């Protein structure tokens, strides 16, 4: 990618991420429920994956060679619903049913929805299952990669570390785990609730290649995702340092926004801030439906 092309691509991704944030905030406000802070912190990660790195096709969601994405931190699903609707996995109008009785769009990923590989939300389950998917690709001679997004509070789950051991043991260099490291969980700072540092050295000790980045820097995100694996025979752990509530000034780095709903005035202010960010990024670019 030339320098000019990369700058254009980063601008396109930044614009898309702002649009996704606006959609998810409206989604949560309409439903009067949702995990606002974590959805805002992981939006840039999802945007880099779905609009740049991953091989996938909304018109053929079961394409055998597709890359797999597992949202292990399933409670922050609102950003994922916004992305999948925007890409055409299901009609955008269906977003209006989020959390209503009988809807497919519930508060965690639901594999009745095209584009969702598995039901998630019971923390600690996503990585072990991602290990199985990556191992299946190796044994079937397929070239897809598996991306698994975890929360930083989720690192207290023992099954995460069982999955980490297995991923390294089977030399799954087609596996990329991502930690949304925003430093906060429902009851406070992750380091106060259950200290996990030094995360980088722990994952390295379990046999993973660790890449630490700014989780809101699209240049760093696409480089980390596109270049994995940098070490053949090792799975990759992307430690993405993020800000809970990113993009909404009054929600950033506030633990109370883990699960919080905007009132009418807050929604208006948040959308105004995001609209100003969108305006500063210029006109949108055209994009196709198949990403690779």
């Amino acid at each position: 990618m030339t320098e000019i092309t990369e700058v254009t691509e980063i601008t396109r991704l930044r614009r898309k991420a702002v649009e996704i944030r606006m959609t998810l905030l409206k989604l949560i406000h309409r439903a009067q429920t949702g995990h606002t802070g974590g959805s805002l912190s992981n939006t840039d990660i999802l945007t880099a994956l779905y609009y740049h790195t991953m091989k996938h096709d909304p018109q053929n969601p079961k394409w055998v060679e597709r890359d797999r994405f597992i949202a292990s931190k399933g409670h922050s699903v609102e950003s994922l619903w916004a992305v999948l609707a925007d890409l055409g996995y299901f009609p955008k109008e269906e977003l209006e049913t989020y959390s209503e009785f009988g809807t497919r769009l519930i508060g965690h990923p639901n594999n009745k929805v095209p584009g969702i590989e598995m039901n998630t939300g019971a923390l600690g389950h996503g990585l072990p299952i991602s290990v199985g998917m990556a191992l299946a690709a190796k044994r079937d001679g397929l070239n897809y990669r598996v991306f698994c997004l975890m929360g930083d509070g989720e690192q207290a789950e023992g099954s995460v570390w069982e999955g980490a051991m297995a991923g390294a043991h089977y030399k799954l260099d087609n596996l990329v785990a991502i930690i949304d490291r925003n430093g906060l969980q429902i009851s406070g700072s992750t380091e106060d609730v259950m200290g996990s540092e030094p995360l980088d050295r722990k994952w390295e000790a379990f046999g993973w290649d660790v890449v630490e980045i700014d989780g809101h820097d699209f240049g760093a995100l696409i480089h980390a995702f596109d270049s994995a694996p940098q070490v053949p025979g090792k799975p990759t752990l992307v430690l993405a340092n993020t800000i809970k509530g990113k993009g909404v000034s009054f929600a950033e780095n506030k633990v109370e926004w883990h699960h919080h709903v905007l009132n009418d005035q807050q929604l208006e202010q948040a959308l105004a801030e995001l609209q100003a960010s969108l305006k500063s990024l210029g006109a949108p670019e055209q994009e196709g439906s198949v990403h690779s």
Side-chain angles (χ1 to χ4, degrees):
M1 189 182 298
T2 67
E3 183 176 351
I4 293 175
T5 304
E6 183 173 353
V7 169
T8 302
E9 177 69 349
I10 289 171
T11 300
R12 182 181 75 87
L13 294 172
R14 288 177 63 194
R15 182 181 181 88
K16 181 56 68 177
V18 174
E19 293 172 353
I20 295 301
R21 285 188 169 93
M22 294 174 77
T23 299
L24 76 87
L25 291 176
K26 293 175 186 177
L27 190 76
I28 291 170
H29 177 262
R30 183 187 300 113
Q32 288 295 290
T33 186
H35 287 82
T36 306
S39 287
L40 290 170
S41 72
N42 73 30
T43 293
D44 295 332
I45 295 168
L46 295 185
T47 302
L49 287 172
Y50 275 94
Y51 295 91
H52 177 86
T53 297
M54 284 173 37
K55 297 183 300 181
H56 66 102
D57 184 358
Q59 304 308 312
N60 185 14
K62 294 298 185 181
W63 176 33
V64 174
E65 290 283 355
R66 73 189 181 280
D67 289 332
R68 275 68 166 168
F69 174 76
I70 303 297
S72 191
K73 54 170 295 184
H75 56 280
S76 296
V77 73
E78 294 84 9
S79 48
L80 182 56
W81 290 146
V83 165
L84 294 179
D86 182 67
L87 288 167
Y89 279 94
F90 58 86
K92 288 184 180 180
E93 293 76 19
E94 192 172 348
L95 290 173
E96 297 182 9
T97 72
Y98 171 62
S99 280
E100 291 184 356
F101 179 75
T103 185
R104 298 188 298 176
L105 306 184
I106 57 177
H108 290 81
N110 167 23
N111 65 5
K112 292 181 180 179
V113 180
I116 299 296
E117 303 288 346
M118 61 169 287
N119 299 342
T120 55
L123 297 178
H125 291 186
L127 185 63
I129 292 175
S130 297
V131 167
M133 290 179 172
L135 183 58
K138 292 283 189 181
R139 294 189 171 179
D140 290 342
L142 297 174
N143 293 319
Y144 66 77
R145 290 190 291 169
V146 182
F147 296 87
C148 177
L149 177 64
M150 298 179 286
D152 47 6
E154 186 176 359
Q155 303 308 294
E157 296 282 356
S159 52
V160 168
W161 300 101
E162 293 179 46
M165 282 192 291
H169 175 78
Y170 290 109
K171 304 183 187 306
L172 299 179
D173 52 10
N174 58 342
L175 174 60
V176 181
I178 308 149
I179 299 177
D180 181 9
R181 184 67 168 125
N182 60 42
L184 297 172
Q185 58 190 97
I186 190 169
S187 53
S189 160
T190 56
E191 293 310 292
D192 289 339
V193 175
M194 181 64 70
S196 57
E197 292 294 349
L199 274 174
D200 55 350
R201 296 206 297 275
K202 287 178 180 177
W203 279 87
E204 287 170 353
F206 272 73
W208 290 58
D209 180 43
V210 176
V211 181
E212 185 168 2
I213 61 170
D214 177 344
H216 302 302
D217 180 336
F218 277 106
L221 283 165
I222 63 177
H223 176 73
F225 296 151
D226 289 358
S227 61
Q230 294 189 47
V231 181
K234 279 192 173 187
T236 301
L237 185 283
V238 177
L239 185 54
N241 294 303
T242 61
I243 296 171
K244 197 145 193 163
K246 175 68 175 178
V248 177
S249 62
F250 54 85
E252 290 189 351
N253 281 321
K254 301 288 179 60
V255 68
E256 59 266 29
W257 282 90
H258 177 87
H259 187 285
H260 197 74
V261 176
L262 304 92
N263 60 34
D264 292 348
Q265 182 179 357
Q266 289 170 330
L267 178 65
E268 183 178 354
Q269 179 183 341
L271 293 179
E273 291 178 5
L274 291 167
Q275 188 61 50
S277 298
L278 201 59
K279 186 176 180 180
S280 72
L281 293 169
E285 298 288 335
Q286 297 297 314
E287 56 190 50
S289 61
V290 180
H291 300 264
S292 61

